[in-house]
Amino acid sequence: MNVFNRVLNNPIVVASGILPPVTKLMRDVCRKYAPGGITTKSMTIEPLQPHQPPTLLQYDHDTYINAIGLGNPGIKTLNKIGCFTIVSIAGNSVDNITLTAREAERIGDAIEINVSSPNRAGYGESLSSHVSKIVKEIKGLVTVPVLVKLGPWENIVDISGKALSAGADGLTLTNTIKGMIIDVHSMKPILSYKTGGISGRALHPIAVRAVYEVYKEYQPVIIGTGGVISWEDAVEFMLAGATLVGIGSGIISKGFDVIRKVNQGIEEYLESKGLKLKDLIGYIVR
Amino acid sequence: MRKGKIVTMDGEEVIISVRIKSPRPGQFVTLILPGIGEFPFLIADYKKGNLKLKIHSRKIREEISNRKVVYIKGPLGSPIKIGRSVLLLGENDSLSELEFIINYCKSKGIKLRIENNMSVKGEEDTVIITSPDYARRADRKRVYVYFRNVKMNCMLGVCGECLVGGKLVCKDGPFLKI
């Protein structure tokens, strides 16, 4: 798989928010499970405390809701990982996220700008209206490819266009979708942050739709992310237009071995169809 | 996360009716009280859909006593690989939490010796130490230390808050092999 002038072992990347922000643990995952690449947890320039638990709950079969809230020890604690590394960055202003990008280039092969997390006021999706300015600032500062991670919003085509026009090299579609669960017995929200991002199985068709609509319009490099549990889910993303596929909740549900199983399933599928990986990308849009 | 109903409360012992996967020795659950928080507890027992927890905190017990329904996440963490004989080192307070492990050993005919002198001398192939304060290496196949008071957040190994010596207490523990 050739992306951003890099040859990756396979099209599967670990999505942001799954690997704890600890260099050694990330290196271990690269070595043991050989994903095409990994995405770090969203890092900020200064440490951020996570919200109080409960912050991550399984809501239904292979479906989760989380509001960890971008908690991380600060980007300066990370070192180079060793495998293809996308450093996810977040911030609470254009200047702040741009500062983080400078640090991210030190350790990453690509940068993913998180303007879509619904889980901390002032960060993530709070900056989505500034996407053009953020991308322009960061593109003027770093030499590595820059992706923008967006949410499964109704204006996804419009905002993707803004990110790409500003110079983004690709998009990660999609982040979680904001939701809420309430305990009717105590009459209180179950998450301490009250709302959270829904990921996993319930998100999958929504994310596939987002990839399809954006690819149809612009044909950019897309990392399709959202509810990949099996190889079929990954192939769906590629048929809709994704070049790479991120796995997040699937790892929580099935463990890191899901990376190998999904890759094996894709290989067998390609063999049975007599196709190559690149033949799948955007197949249903052609 | 499963919905559980409080069956009985007797001192520190709380029985909750809830359907979870059969736990293995060393695993834990979390108790979720909406509006209050999420709290980890070693599983004291789980039989026929009844989960037994030993809850030392009076504040949490008071919260539970006002509710009929709570939520349970788990079983979580990694089971202890118990060999043919076990030496359990700890003080009375901490040992009371290990009821599930003790009963497991008894039910399987595993030789069990419980000591509070913190000496790892002996022939047992598995050593379980109930506090990192007493952690010591021993020339055995398996030496586990219970990291009871480590702050956890997501409880599923993604946030990294409970990192100890390169391991995640919520996912690799709470009994970490040393």
Side-chain angles (χ1 to χ4, degrees):
Chain A
M1 172 57 63
N2 200 327
V3 189
F4 303 133
N5 297 320
R6 286 283 296 262
V7 180
L8 307 186
N9 305 331
N10 60 71
I12 301 302
V13 298
V14 178
S16 180
I18 295 303
L19 289 166
V22 180
T23 303
K24 182 187 176 296
L25 295 182
M26 290 191 274
R27 282 181 185 154
D28 287 349
V29 167
C30 285
R31 198 183 63 246
K32 284 186 198 164
Y33 303 100
I38 60 159
T39 315
T40 68
K41 196 170 196 319
S42 289
M43 305 300 290
T44 50
I45 198 78
E46 298 292 340
L48 268 184
Q49 286 298 312
H51 297 310
Q52 288 300 306
T55 54
L56 174 56
L57 302 169
Q58 185 173 4
Y59 171 66
D60 205 339
H61 191 61
D62 294 331
T63 296
Y64 297 83
I65 184 164
N66 95 83
I68 292 171
L70 303 173
N72 77 93
I75 196 164
K76 287 175 184 167
T77 61
L78 290 189
N79 294 311
K80 272 194 172 288
I81 312 300
C83 63
F84 184 77
T85 304
I86 302 166
V87 180
S88 172
I89 59 169
N92 59 358
S93 70
V94 176
D95 288 348
N96 181 272
I97 203 165
T98 306
L99 269 178
T100 318
R102 194 190 290 271
E103 282 291 325
E105 192 177 28
R106 178 177 58 84
I107 45 178
D109 300 294
I111 290 172
E112 181 179 276
I113 306 170
N114 178 353
V115 284
S116 45
S117 167
N119 293 332
R120 187 176 283 263
Y123 290 77
E125 70 176 6
S126 309
L127 294 186
S128 62
S129 57
H130 302 292
V131 68
S132 294
K133 192 166 184 212
I134 293 169
V135 172
K136 278 181 191 160
E137 292 277 339
I138 292 175
K139 280 295 289 181
L141 195 67
V142 303
T143 55
V144 295
V146 172
L147 295 125
V148 179
K149 187 166 186 177
L150 299 172
W153 309 310
E154 281 309 304
N155 64 347
I156 188 80
V157 174
D158 180 42
I159 198 162
S160 294
K162 285 180 181 163
L164 295 166
S165 299
D169 300 286
L171 302 169
T172 302
L173 305 175
T174 70
N175 209 319
T176 58
I177 187 166
K178 194 172 182 176
M180 187 178 203
I181 48 174
I182 297 170
D183 172 36
V184 299
H185 305 281
S186 61
M187 300 195 282
K188 286 175 180 156
I190 299 181
L191 287 172
S192 69
Y193 191 62
K194 298 185 174 61
T195 59
I198 294 169
S199 64
R201 173 63 58 201
L203 178 64
H204 183 65
I206 302 168
V208 170
R209 182 269 300 168
V211 169
Y212 165 73
E213 289 184 352
V214 171
Y215 188 82
K216 192 167 71 167
E217 194 68 25
Y218 310 110
Q219 296 86 51
V221 171
I222 297 174
I223 304 179
T225 302
V228 174
I229 313 293
S230 68
W231 67 265
E232 288 98 329
D233 302 324
V235 170
E236 258 188 284
F237 266 129
M238 300 189 88
L239 294 173
T243 304
L244 301 175
V245 175
I247 307 187
S249 298
I251 291 172
I252 302 177
S253 267
K254 310 289 180 196
F256 282 100
D257 203 40
V258 73
I259 295 168
R260 185 188 59 76
K261 286 180 182 161
V262 168
N263 271 319
Q264 188 182 337
I266 294 172
E267 277 175 27
E268 287 169 8
Y269 174 78
L270 290 173
E271 200 176 313
S272 72
K273 293 275 185 191
L275 293 170
K276 294 197 161 97
L277 207 52
K278 64 180 171 50
D279 300 328
L280 300 183
I281 301 167
Y283 181 88
I284 63 159
V285 177
R286 285 175 218 145
Chain B
M1 180 181 70
R2 294 294 180 101
K3 188 168 75 176
K5 290 185 179 171
I6 305 297
V7 179
T8 58
M9 289 184 72
D10 181 9
E12 295 189 342
E13 202 171 283
V14 178
I15 307 285
I16 300 164
S17 170
V18 60
R19 288 276 162 203
I20 59 171
K21 280 184 188 169
S22 291
R24 305 287 315 277
Q27 289 190 294
F28 71 105
V29 293
T30 65
L31 172 71
I32 296 165
L33 304 174
I36 304 296
E38 180 178 18
F39 309 96
F41 294 99
L42 274 188
I43 295 161
D45 195 15
Y46 184 69
K47 272 186 202 140
K48 296 177 181 172
N50 280 334
L51 174 70
K52 180 158 86 177
L53 302 179
K54 292 203 167 166
I55 299 177
H56 298 319
S57 161
R58 190 165 53 87
K59 196 178 162 195
I60 295 174
R61 291 201 306 270
E62 279 171 9
E63 281 296 338
I64 295 172
S65 66
N66 295 325
R67 295 167 192 251
K68 286 182 181 163
V69 170
V70 295
Y71 295 88
I72 298 293
K73 188 159 105 182
L76 304 168
S78 295
I80 296 174
K81 285 178 185 156
I82 291 178
R84 281 177 291 190
S85 54
V86 174
L87 169 59
L88 193 54
L89 297 179
E91 291 173 329
N92 288 340
D93 264 11
S94 52
L95 287 171
S96 72
E97 285 187 62
L98 306 191
E99 186 179 325
F100 190 77
I101 295 171
I102 293 167
N103 288 343
Y104 176 86
C105 290
K106 286 177 181 167
S107 71
K108 299 283 178 191
I110 294 165
K111 197 176 153 195
L112 175 68
R113 182 163 64 97
I114 299 173
E115 296 285 352
N116 59 11
N117 62 10
M118 302 304 152
S119 166
V120 292
K121 285 180 186 169
E123 299 299 317
E124 292 82 2
D125 61 12
T126 308
V127 179
I128 299 170
I129 303 171
T130 58
S131 165
D133 296 342
Y134 307 125
R136 56 209 66 202
R137 294 192 178 278
D139 184 22
R140 312 290 171 85
K141 268 188 185 170
R142 310 174 185 93
V143 180
Y144 291 93
V145 175
Y146 177 29
F147 283 79
R148 178 191 187 189
N149 293 321
V150 173
K151 190 175 154 198
M152 296 193 269
N153 187 293
C154 73
M155 321 281 175
L156 292 171
V158 305
C159 75
E161 283 291 298
C162 62
L163 188 76
V164 172
K167 290 186 176 172
L168 298 165
V169 173
C170 72
K171 191 178 173 193
D172 305 318
F175 292 84
L176 293 179
K177 206 171 170 188
I178 60 167

